Amino acid sequence: MVEPADTPHRERLDKFLFHARALKSRTLAQKFIETGAVRINSERTERPDRKVGPGDVLTMQLHGRIVVWRIIDPGTRRGPATEAAGLYEDLSPPALPKG
């Protein structure tokens, strides 16, 4: 199936998390998603093959804190960290102080 030219590029959720360097491998991303730890636009998903694209908001508990990302570009590869950081806008709440 070919997407129309005006349709924004969408990518599998597991690939996006891998491209954005949230997790070290697609396999880890798939397992993470299957636990139900990710919400897309406030809707819980357990499907690694769920398509995401620009404007979608991901909420997840990652590395011991709540992370909220708005997708800017789903990406096409796992590039350097600076490139990965450009794939999303971080809307995460500030970390709680340790004490």
Side-chain angles (χ1 to χ4, degrees):
M1 181 174 122
V2 176
E3 292 182 7
D6 61 343
T7 303
H9 174 68
R10 299 183 67 76
E11 187 62 80
R12 287 174 55 112
L13 178 57
D14 60 337
K15 276 188 168 184
F16 173 76
L17 292 177
F18 177 62
H19 292 165
R21 295 182 160 267
L23 295 149
K24 291 184 179 187
S25 70
R26 273 191 61 198
T27 302
L28 286 175
Q30 289 167 349
K31 289 177 183 177
F32 177 71
I33 295 161
E34 288 169 353
T35 68
V38 180
R39 291 180 181 268
I40 302 171
N41 301 323
S42 301
E43 183 181 314
R44 184 175 172 209
T45 188
E46 295 176 357
R47 293 182 43 216
D49 64 340
R50 176 88 183 267
K51 296 287 187 172
V52 295
D56 287 333
V57 176
L58 305 181
T59 306
M60 54 200 150
Q61 184 166 354
L62 189 62
H63 309 301
R65 58 176 241 153
I66 300 295
V67 176
V68 182
W69 288 352
R70 178 181 296 125
I71 298 173
I72 297 170
D73 181 1
T76 56
R77 69 183 191 119
R78 181 177 170 94
T82 53
E83 182 179 317
L87 299 179
Y88 58 88
E89 177 185 0
D90 193 346
L91 307 172
S92 304
L96 295 174
K98 295 181 181 180

